[in-house]
């Protein structure tokens, strides 16, 4: 039996709004991000657990507005002056003085500060009283765990990137049984692709069942 050749097309360039899969779970976050530069004080934080699409949305914004992407521990304040700025994972070891200055810079003409984090700014520790007050009032928007609309959309995108066209019945089967995360959707598609190639088999509901059963209790 001839092996089916699958061409992994991949995605060129940074994440974009066009590629961002929209659904009820992320509609509020998308609308808030797209409202820039009309953010309160020029600032916004996207909150949510791992795997909900925070980074994709933030990077799409950064690419669209030509934002400076700064490091958490040593943000380049000179590069941030008069420019929109993205700082990711801001609740994981950010420079408190750097963050304080970034918030102040964001309110100036041409500025803006978009943060991503898993926890609310009001809970972040700081010894700077002025920063404490700003974090307590920091504008936020949350992304919920992906709903079925989003999960099906990302599954279709990941299959398309690998040039795979599974039967339509595969989608509701996976949606009813998979974890509610975008990385998990990508991992499932990768495993299905690998299993299909190894066994010279098409991606079907039967193969999907075998993959889901094999991964019970395992992380991949």
């Amino acid at each position: 039996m001839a092996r089916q050749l699958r061409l992994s097309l991949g995605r060129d360039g940074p994440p974009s709004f066009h590629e961002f899969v929209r659904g009820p779970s992320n509609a509020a976050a998308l609308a808030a991000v797209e409202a820039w530069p009309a953010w309160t004080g020029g600032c916004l934080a996207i909150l949510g657990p791992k795997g909900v699409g925070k980074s994709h949305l933030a990077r799409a914004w950064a690419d669209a507005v030509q934002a400076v992407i700064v490091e958490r521990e040593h943000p380049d304040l000179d590069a941030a002056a008069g420019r929109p700025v993205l700082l990711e994972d801001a609740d994981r070891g950010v420079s408190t003085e750097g963050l304080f200055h970034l918030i102040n810079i964001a309110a100036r003409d041409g500025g803006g500060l978009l943060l991503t984090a898993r926890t609310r700014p009001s809970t972040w520790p700081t010894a700077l009283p002025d920063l404490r007050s700003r974090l307590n009032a920091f504008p936020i928007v949350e992304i919920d765990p992906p709903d079925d609309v989003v999960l099906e959309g990302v599954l279709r995108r990941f299959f398309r990137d690998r040039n795979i066209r599974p039967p339509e019945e595969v989608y509701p089967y996976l949606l009813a049984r998979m974890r509610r995360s975008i990385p998990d959707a990508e991992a499932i598609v990768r495993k299905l692709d690998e299993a299909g190639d190894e066994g010279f088999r098409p991606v079907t509901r039967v193969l999907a069942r075998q993959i889901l059963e094999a991964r019970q209790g395992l992380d991949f």
Side-chain angles (χ1 to χ4, degrees):
M1 181 182 298
R3 176 171 176 162
Q4 180 182 1
L5 177 62
R6 294 195 182 118
L7 176 64
S8 180
L9 300 177
R11 296 185 297 277
D12 295 328
S16 67
F17 284 120
H18 174 73
E19 286 185 328
F20 188 73
V21 180
R22 308 173 184 220
S25 59
N26 59 34
L30 180 62
V33 169
E34 288 184 323
W36 183 85
W39 298 342
T40 302
C43 297
L44 181 69
I46 308 174
L47 308 182
K50 179 181 179 181
V52 298
K54 300 187 301 295
S55 184
H56 184 127
L57 180 55
R59 295 272 172 164
W61 172 82
D63 183 61
V65 305
Q66 296 299 294
V68 176
I69 301 175
V70 297
E71 298 179 357
R72 294 195 309 271
E73 297 181 359
H74 304 287
D76 187 339
L77 300 179
D78 291 333
R83 296 277 302 279
V85 174
L86 169 62
L87 192 159
E88 293 208 72
D89 299 319
D91 54 343
R92 301 174 63 188
V94 69
S95 162
T96 55
E97 287 193 12
L99 181 56
F100 176 73
H101 290 301
L102 287 174
I103 294 173
N104 289 335
I105 292 172
R108 301 173 188 170
D109 289 344
L113 176 60
L114 180 64
L115 309 179
T116 66
R118 300 185 192 182
T119 60
R120 292 172 177 265
S122 59
T123 68
W124 303 349
T126 179
L128 300 177
D130 288 343
L131 179 58
R132 173 80 281 144
S133 63
R134 284 166 172 75
L135 292 179
N136 288 343
F138 206 95
I140 64 171
V141 66
E142 298 188 55
I143 300 183
D144 295 326
D147 54 75
D148 280 358
V149 173
V150 172
L151 282 178
E152 181 174 340
V154 297
L155 282 170
R156 289 183 182 277
R157 189 183 78 200
F158 293 142
F159 277 126
R160 185 169 61 249
D161 287 345
R162 292 175 176 270
N163 200 31
I164 301 172
R165 295 183 179 180
E168 285 298 313
E169 64 178 13
V170 168
Y171 294 104
Y173 185 84
L174 291 175
L175 291 173
R177 294 162 177 83
M178 64 183 290
R179 300 186 193 120
R180 318 304 289 178
S181 95
I182 294 172
D184 197 54
E186 186 171 21
I188 287 172
V189 171
R190 173 172 51 81
K191 282 292 184 180
L192 285 167
D193 190 17
E194 292 171 354
D197 278 352
E198 290 171 1
F200 307 105
R201 302 170 60 187
V203 174
T204 63
R205 175 172 167 172
V206 172
L207 185 59
R209 176 176 59 81
Q210 293 174 356
I211 291 297
L212 291 179
E213 289 177 351
R215 68 182 290 273
Q216 288 182 358
L218 299 175
D219 290 325
F220 58 78

